[in-house]
Amino acid sequence: MIAAYRKLLSLLSPREKSRLGWVFLIILGRALLEVVGIASVFPFLSVVGNPDLIYQNRLLKWLFTTLGFLSINRFLVFLGFLVLVVLICTNLFSAFSEWVLYRFSWMCNYSLSRRLFSAYLARPYVFFLTQNSATVQRNVLIEVRHVVDGMIIPGINVLVGIAVIICISAFLLGVNPLLGLAVLAIIGLAYGSIFLFVRQRLRRLGQVRAEADLQRFKISGETFSTIKFLKLTGRINYFLDQFAKASHKFSNVMAKHMLMGRIPRYALDIVAFGGLLLVVLYLLVTHQALGQVLPVIGLLGFASYRLLPAFQQIFSGLSQIRFSQASVDIIYSDLQAPSQPLSSFEIIKPFSAKEKIELRNVSFTYPGSNRPVVSKVSLVIPVGASVALVGKTGSGKTTIADIILGLLRPNEGGLYVDNQKLTDELLPFWQRSLGYVPQDVYLLDDTIAANIAFGIPKDKIDMEAVIEAAKIANIHDFVANLPEGYNTRVGERGMRLSGGERQRAGIAR
Ligand SMILES: Nc1ncnc2c1ncn2[C@@H]1O[C@H](COP(=O)(O)OP(=O)(O)OP(=O)(O)O)[C@@H](O)[C@H]1O
Ligand SMILES: [Mg+2]
């Protein structure tokens, strides 16, 4: 658990870490103030019940005389207002601390998911050949949330709970050491042993949850991408079953996790009440004087009233942390992984061929495979030539194209442009000079203009350039005849266009 927190802390920026410190202090302040707020009501009530206390208690007497009160009733009204002000202040502070906590946790959620998203975008192309996109989506959307809600917030709660317990214990031990020790030992042992019993289970449940979430993402994505085929072939049930299975597993695990975090509360309430009852019975049976019995009962009552919730807070915090630990491992390793610098569309000057593009002795093996797909291939493409790669299916044509695009890096040999070897540094400049039309063009659910000017913000689109490109790709006439022209929306994956129109939009890009 400590190792998980070390990882988690290394993921936070220095600013977030110092914020975390503040949040902890504020939450701790709230917990202690709440004790004070509740505590301040009782002295007031006892003064109302017994006004003579004003003369017996030194503080009250001092207040009464210094402020120059003449009647006891007025003083009581004053004390009442004082208590009210304390209550208002503690409640305002509680509301403020809540705001601080929510803001902090959602801002962590924002910054972690943004960083993870950009870390994935910075991974080399081969990474995406081995990863299912559902994993990436789940990590960015779900796992980050589990890290924040299941580790950061419960971590704060556990520390605050410990601080509250220390305060109450000091009080208890001061008043009645033997009884205090007994109470602490019983509650502590009970919670401790329940936690030892469930901790492994919680961790396993956490892993099952992550796996089930992955399945849910994967199946829902796949189902709606192949909906046309599914409708046609009537194989919808298979996908529905798969989704139902994963969802059921997920819900089952979540219910168990929630239950495990709360169940000891009920057990401990019984233990506490039973213990109280036993002590009272014992004291009565041994015929102790009521004057001696009452303070003991009062102390026990106070202990179970304040101490049990604090223990419960720690327990449920720890159980959430165990459950969410898997998420930290996932996010940590993916944020640490090697990345390529993200190249921006605007800042880069293209680097294009003037004479020739050349592959020299290139070999390539896909990661995880032991057979080279391309082996010692050399070829020269002069500028201005039209070249077709012809070969059997699976012989490596697309692989060679991807090597020329710089998406795949050769294991041996190299790609040369005008006799200059393309290094990792040159690659973004090279790629900026390339045009590429894949066989299956992916269109965004946006307008035709936005699809041609792919990835350029709406207000920066140069409409003349878009129309020029559309004319070259032979799609301008079609677009010009649409009622909304270039502002026509194409639907998800360009579903409202024909296959050829989709490809032409891809060429215009
Ligand atoms: N990501 C990958 N990991 C492992 N092997 C791969 C991967 N991608 C492709 N291959 C294998 O590499 C070989 C070459 O694939 P490639 O896509 O280059 O073939 P191709 O010549 O374009 O075939 P086609 O004419 O069918 O498009 C194939 O045997 C394929 O199974
Ligand atoms: Mg191919």
Side-chain angles (χ1 to χ4, degrees):
M1 209 178 270
I2 308 247
Y5 270 98
R6 216 170 271 151
K7 282 183 186 173
L8 180 55
L9 283 178
S10 76
L11 294 183
L12 299 182
S13 68
R15 201 154 143 227
E16 284 165 340
K17 269 184 230 165
S18 79
R19 284 227 177 110
L20 180 64
W22 279 110
V23 171
F24 169 67
L25 286 180
I26 289 172
I27 302 298
L28 180 64
R30 170 176 90 176
L32 299 180
L33 264 182
E34 271 171 1
V35 177
V36 172
I38 293 168
S40 72
V41 176
F42 292 109
F44 171 70
L45 290 181
S46 39
V47 174
V48 171
N50 177 14
D52 282 347
L53 274 177
I54 295 173
Y55 301 108
Q56 289 157 14
N57 182 296
R58 234 186 286 156
L59 179 69
L60 287 174
K61 196 171 166 191
W62 177 80
L63 262 179
F64 187 72
T65 47
T66 330
L67 295 176
F69 276 98
L70 296 176
S71 94
I72 285 190
N73 273 351
R74 286 210 177 164
F75 186 60
L76 283 181
V77 171
F78 165 74
L79 280 186
F81 267 111
L82 211 60
V83 170
L84 193 64
V85 169
V86 169
L87 277 183
I88 290 175
C89 290
T90 54
N91 278 300
L92 279 180
F93 191 77
S94 294
F96 166 71
S97 73
E98 206 109 307
W99 179 77
V100 167
L101 189 64
Y102 284 135
R103 184 161 169 84
F104 175 75
S105 74
W106 283 103
M107 283 299 132
C108 277
N109 192 74
Y110 154 73
S111 94
L112 277 178
S113 57
R114 199 205 60 209
R115 264 156 51 206
L116 193 61
F117 198 81
S118 97
Y120 283 131
L121 287 177
R123 297 298 288 265
Y125 175 68
V126 280
F127 168 77
F128 298 96
L129 295 179
T130 53
Q131 276 291 335
N132 193 302
S133 65
T135 314
V136 173
Q137 283 182 38
R138 177 203 62 174
N139 294 354
V140 171
L141 299 177
I142 305 281
E143 299 309 313
V144 167
R145 195 96 207 258
H146 276 277
V147 167
V148 176
D149 288 356
M151 300 240 5
I152 298 184
I153 306 300
I156 294 177
N157 284 336
V158 167
L159 291 181
V160 169
I162 290 175
V164 169
I165 286 180
I166 290 176
C167 292
I168 299 175
S169 312
F171 171 72
L172 269 186
L173 293 175
V175 175
N176 190 337
L178 203 65
L179 195 64
L181 218 56
V183 167
L184 280 176
I186 290 177
I187 304 184
L189 273 178
Y191 267 109
S193 46
I194 298 178
F195 185 67
L196 280 184
F197 179 67
V198 294
R199 65 195 282 270
Q200 283 310 330
R201 275 157 233 257
L202 279 167
R203 185 154 192 177
R204 233 185 357 262
L205 282 182
Q207 287 157 350
V208 175
R209 196 277 312 150
E211 186 54 37
D213 256 335
L214 179 61
Q215 291 302 323
R216 293 195 310 151
F217 263 87
K218 189 165 167 285
I219 295 158
S220 57
E222 284 173 349
T223 306
F224 294 109
S225 319
T226 52
I227 190 70
K228 190 175 187 179
F229 187 74
L230 288 185
K231 285 263 174 209
L232 204 62
T233 54
R235 307 218 179 124
I236 284 178
N237 277 346
Y238 170 76
F239 285 81
L240 187 59
D241 281 354
Q242 297 282 313
F243 183 75
K245 242 185 239 160
S247 283
H248 187 262
K249 197 193 256 174
F250 169 76
S251 300
N252 192 15
V253 160
M254 287 309 282
K256 276 192 190 151
H257 154 58
M258 297 280 181
L259 186 69
M260 278 193 195
R262 281 174 186 54
I263 203 80
R265 211 182 109 199
Y266 303 107
L268 263 287
D269 269 357
I270 296 171
V271 169
F273 186 70
L276 197 63
L277 213 64
L278 277 181
V279 170
V280 172
L281 286 179
Y282 171 78
L283 292 175
L284 287 180
V285 167
T286 50
H287 301 291
Q288 307 231 8
L290 200 64
Q292 280 177 315
V293 176
L294 271 182
V296 173
I297 295 176
L299 203 62
L300 281 177
F302 170 76
S304 47
Y305 175 62
R306 290 303 324 170
L307 217 48
L308 276 178
F311 269 103
Q312 175 60 33
Q313 184 178 350
I314 295 177
F315 180 87
S316 70
L318 287 178
S319 74
Q320 249 180 323
I321 291 167
R322 285 299 288 183
F323 186 70
S324 308
Q325 227 167 303
S327 309
V328 177
D329 295 337
I330 291 172
I331 286 183
Y332 181 78
S333 59
D334 281 359
L335 271 175
Q336 303 295 316
S339 60
Q340 288 175 337
L342 288 178
S343 60
S344 163
F345 182 77
E346 289 115 16
I347 56 169
I348 283 173
K349 265 200 336 276
F351 161 67
S352 53
K354 309 231 161 23
E355 282 175 41
K356 60 182 176 181
I357 304 168
E358 206 179 342
L359 290 183
R360 293 189 193 160
N361 255 333
V362 166
S363 299
F364 180 80
T365 308
Y366 277 103
S369 143
N370 46 16
R371 181 177 61 92
V373 173
V374 175
S375 173
K376 299 215 182 302
V377 167
S378 296
L379 64 87
V380 180
I381 305 175
V383 162
S386 302
V387 176
L389 296 177
V390 184
K392 271 203 323 219
T393 180
S395 58
K397 303 178 294 290
T398 301
T399 307
I400 286 183
D402 286 347
I403 290 174
I404 295 176
L405 292 172
L407 291 175
L408 301 176
R409 305 293 283 147
N411 306 120
E412 268 175 57
L415 172 66
Y416 291 78
V417 177
D418 299 338
N419 288 324
Q420 188 169 5
K421 186 169 182 179
L422 271 185
T423 55
D424 286 347
E425 291 75 46
L426 273 177
L427 211 56
F429 298 88
W430 167 239
Q431 285 171 337
R432 214 55 69 225
S433 74
L434 300 174
Y436 177 61
V437 183
Q439 191 177 3
D440 43 348
V441 179
Y442 188 94
L443 292 191
L444 308 173
D445 184 4
D446 206 329
T447 63
I448 293 181
N451 268 296
I452 293 178
F454 195 73
I456 296 180
K458 281 249 160 70
D459 49 341
K460 296 218 176 91
I461 293 179
D462 176 357
M463 270 319 287
E464 276 175 32
V466 167
I467 293 173
E468 181 66 29
K471 280 184 179 155
I472 296 172
N474 233 334
I475 194 182
H476 174 71
D477 292 341
F478 160 75
V479 178
N481 277 327
L482 291 169
E484 288 182 77
Y486 282 90
N487 287 326
T488 309
R489 298 190 72 93
V490 301
E492 196 177 343
R493 280 171 289 120
M495 228 149 29
R496 293 206 276 272
L497 299 184
S498 81
E501 286 157 1
R502 254 177 261 163
Q503 282 210 327
R504 284 175 200 284
I507 294 170
R509 236 176 231 171

